[in-house]
Amino acid sequence: MDLDDSYGYADAFGDLADKIAVFPAGRLDTAFVSKLARLDFASDEIGAPTEIPVSNALKNLLRRLRREGYGAILLDARAGIHDLAGLSLHGFAHVDVLVFRGTTQNIDGLRLTLDVLNRRRRDDLKPWVLVHTLLPASQEDYERRRSEIQQRVYDLFIDRIYEGDDVPQLNDRDAAHETMPLRRKPWLEDVDTLRGLADTLLADEELRAIAQRIDEPWDEDLSKSESEDAS
């Protein structure tokens, strides 16, 4: 698999550009639409392998990227429940980042997604990070909305995820149901490029907190692997 002409660097990040390689889904033209139509998400052939062709192709691509030595691979599964999002929920990721707005439709989608993720959950690793986005900018509205949605998510976990008597409290910030807040940022709404905004993004406290939360399962797993190797 030749990846030489398949990526570009994130020039908008200035000095950090050569540390961020972007692999786009393809060139956006009429041929791209035709290629999407030909993707085989479910093979009906007799004797076909259990895994569908797109799943195999994506796994092979991720293996190749790992061999290239990238420190982290971020797979954008786009918005909503669809074929690619469904594939990405079945073990591709070290940690799944679920971004939602807190609407009823989003909560319904979160319920379905968590049901899928919970089937492959490892007891020693929280396999997801919940990000509640587009919260109001004003402090009063922010606190009201965040509290309301945090309660709904907690109730969802009580109903679908948590088992037995050892159930975390609502305000347990280390629990799996804890949502990471991300307020509406007017300066991002009409942005076509991140050029000139890299420093602002990297300094944003909410974004940094989300990044740290995403790192936690990775760091925990690395520590466990190193401990097992030492023993």
Side-chain angles (χ1 to χ4, degrees), residues 50-217:
T50 302
E51 290 190 281
I52 58 181
V54 172
S55 175
N56 284 327
L58 186 54
K59 284 184 177 180
N60 288 332
L61 175 60
L62 293 175
R63 291 191 189 102
R64 174 59 189 274
L65 291 176
R66 290 191 184 101
R67 290 199 298 270
E68 293 292 325
Y70 290 106
I73 302 172
L74 307 180
L75 175 63
D76 181 4
R78 308 196 317 274
I81 303 296
H82 49 77
D83 294 322
L84 180 58
L87 288 176
S88 66
L89 295 177
H90 288 278
F92 287 148
H94 203 85
V95 57
D96 294 282
V97 182
L98 309 180
V99 181
F100 66 102
R101 292 184 58 182
T103 64
T104 297
Q105 183 183 42
N106 279 191
I107 295 296
D108 288 343
L110 182 62
R111 178 183 296 107
L112 175 61
T113 302
L114 288 172
D115 282 345
V116 173
L117 290 177
N118 197 43
R119 295 193 191 106
R120 64 173 179 82
R121 179 175 57 175
R122 291 165 46 188
D123 292 336
D124 60 340
L125 184 66
K126 293 192 291 290
W128 52 68
V129 172
L130 307 180
V131 179
H132 181 191
T133 190
L134 291 181
L135 280 157
S138 71
Q139 189 64 26
E140 181 179 353
D141 291 340
Y142 163 84
E143 292 179 356
R144 174 188 56 78
R145 183 63 172 164
R146 174 154 164 68
S147 176
E148 173 189 334
I149 298 305
Q150 186 67 73
Q151 181 66 59
R152 292 184 66 181
V153 171
Y154 182 66
D155 293 341
L156 174 60
F157 271 69
I158 292 291
D159 182 50
R160 316 291 286 205
I161 304 297
Y162 293 143
E163 299 176 351
D165 298 327
D166 189 19
V167 175
Q169 296 297 311
L170 170 63
N171 295 323
D172 185 345
R173 299 308 182 201
D174 293 324
H177 68 265
E178 172 68 4
T179 63
M180 303 300 295
L182 188 60
R183 303 180 199 227
R184 181 184 296 275
K185 302 182 188 301
W187 52 272
L188 268 180
E189 292 181 0
D190 297 321
V191 166
D192 290 322
T193 175
L194 295 179
R195 193 177 303 278
L197 295 175
D199 290 341
T200 302
L201 287 171
L202 294 173
D204 187 277
E205 292 184 3
E206 290 181 336
L207 292 174
R208 291 176 66 88
I210 293 170
Q212 183 177 0
R213 187 66 175 243
I214 294 171
D215 279 344
E216 287 174 1

